[in-house]
Every structure is written in structure tokens, then in C-alpha cells.
Amino acid sequence: PKKACNVVAARDGVICQMIVKEGSATLEKGEPVLPGDILISGETSDGLQKHAQGEVYAYTWHKASGKFRRTKTSEQLTGENKNFYILRLFSREIPLYFRLSVPYEEYRLEETNREFLRGKDGYLGIGFRRLCYREKKQSREPLSDETVCEIARCELEEQIAENLLPGAKKQGEDLQFTPLDDDWARVTLVMNFIEQIGQEQEIVQQE
């Protein structure tokens, strides 16, 4: 036999529909509920307990917020580069420079190796290693408020989706954009859904 239970609220919301299959409803359409509130009771007026069943749909609201950049950083090579060479004699390396001093504040390092061979497979144990430092510059481009909002919307929707109950149906949303300074903005997304918030919870006997 099924254990006696109530149907309780999995999260807060405002009831919009109740389908009672077994037990008695404790609330009505339009009433607010908090997590853990009993929605369908498995206890009868004569003191008996049964397995309450049903579906309870409620309007729910979910909020996510975050800081997002208002600029895009891009990286470009200037065309300037500085090479340093290292002679390799078997396991020994001999720098062919006095001091490894890179004249650039920002750079990309590319390393290449070359081995000297005799014939097809004859390894001589001699080679060179080149360290190429290519100067790069970073530039920042402003993003439109619409672009920032779209980037934020995608990320915030994913955060909200992680907390939704199965079968949630979106009803609407509100997106708020608040500039903080030239580089940052706060974006807040509020989405409302209809969710089936009823979940069965066993009635624990009081000793």
C-alpha cells in the first residue's frame, strides 16, 4: 500500500490551478504559498490518513543579476618582433645572446626548433631554438547597450533555467540595464513561469 502523504509546495508562488486526485485542497486559486506549505492534505476529518495526489500549478518568479562589461577587448600584432637564438649541442643549450631582454610590454611568444641532419636519418646532435617575441597591443571597443543586454540575457537565462521545475512554461520577463561606469553595467533579469509546484511528502507519525 502507498504511504500516507501530503502534497506540499516545492517553492513559493501564487496558485493558478489545482487538480486534486486524492485528498482535500487546503488553499484556493490566487493564494500565495511558501516552500513546504501543504497544498493537498492526506489527513481526513475523521483522523484517518491517506495518500494525497494531485497537481498544483502556480505563477513563479525567478531573478538573476550580474555585472557585465560594456567594452570588448581585442588583441592585435603590431608587426614588430625580436628574435633570440639558442644553439643546441646534444643535451646542452648555449644562448647566442648576452641577455634576454624583451622590449615590449605585451607580446606573444612563438618558439621554433630546427635540427641539422646528415643524410636521411643521420642526427648530428646540433640544432637551433628560436624564441620570437611579437609585440601586441590591446584595444577596447565600446559595446552598445543592446549588445550588452543580449550577452547578459543568455547568461542569466541559463542561471534561471538551472532552478526551474520540470515542465515550466515561461509567461513573461523583464530585463533591467543599469550603467555603473564606462566599463561596467548591471543587468537584472526577472522571468515568470507557470510551474507544477506540488510534490508528495510522507506524513510523519507523531510519537
Side-chain angles (χ1 to χ4, degrees), residues 8-207:
V8 302
R11 61 167 32 117
D12 58 326
V14 176
I15 296 175
C16 62
Q17 183 183 12
M18 298 188 73
I19 302 174
V20 180
K21 299 177 181 178
E22 191 69 44
S24 55
T26 62
L27 297 171
E28 297 180 354
K29 179 180 177 180
E31 290 193 82
V33 295
L34 295 174
D37 285 353
I38 297 177
L39 307 175
I40 303 175
S41 176
E43 299 191 24
T44 63
S45 57
D46 54 5
L48 298 178
Q49 295 178 339
K50 56 185 176 181
H51 186 91
Q53 288 181 291
E55 298 174 1
V56 181
Y57 296 89
Y59 296 113
T60 61
W61 288 264
H62 297 264
K63 179 180 178 180
S65 181
K67 289 175 60 178
F68 296 87
R69 283 195 174 277
R70 302 179 68 190
T71 57
K72 177 183 178 181
T73 302
S74 59
E75 184 179 288
Q76 293 181 335
L77 296 175
T78 66
E80 298 292 326
N81 61 78
K82 181 74 172 179
N83 293 311
F84 298 91
Y85 295 91
I86 300 171
L87 176 64
R88 298 172 59 189
L89 298 176
F90 297 97
S91 60
R92 184 182 178 188
E93 291 191 342
I94 303 173
L96 301 181
Y97 50 85
F98 177 69
R99 183 164 59 94
L100 200 159
S101 177
V102 182
Y104 315 124
E105 290 185 6
E106 298 180 0
Y107 55 82
R108 179 188 300 172
L109 174 60
E110 297 177 0
E111 183 175 334
T112 56
N113 291 279
R114 181 182 177 187
E115 305 291 349
F116 291 97
L117 304 176
R118 175 185 294 169
K120 186 176 180 180
D121 300 315
Y123 174 56
L124 295 178
I126 302 174
F128 281 95
R129 183 154 65 98
R130 185 187 72 161
L131 304 177
C132 181
Y133 292 84
R134 300 186 182 275
E135 184 184 32
K136 67 180 183 180
K137 296 289 186 180
Q138 288 189 345
S139 61
R140 291 192 305 174
E141 302 174 8
L143 297 175
S144 67
D145 294 348
E146 292 77 12
T147 300
V148 176
C149 285
E150 285 307 308
I151 294 172
R153 182 195 303 274
C154 293
E155 183 174 322
L156 298 176
E157 282 182 347
E158 289 182 2
Q159 294 180 23
I160 290 176
E162 293 177 356
N163 297 314
L164 294 177
L165 296 172
K169 295 182 179 179
K170 178 182 171 182
Q171 300 300 297
E173 67 175 46
D174 178 51
L175 189 72
Q176 296 181 351
F177 175 88
T178 306
L180 301 177
D181 53 36
D182 290 341
D183 293 324
W184 294 92
R186 177 166 294 280
V187 182
T188 301
L189 177 64
V190 179
M191 304 180 72
N192 59 297
F193 296 84
I194 290 179
E195 297 182 82
Q196 200 292 101
I197 64 170
Q199 63 179 15
E200 295 180 0
Q201 184 180 78
E202 183 180 352
I203 298 175
V204 178
Q205 302 293 336
Q206 299 291 335
E207 296 184 356

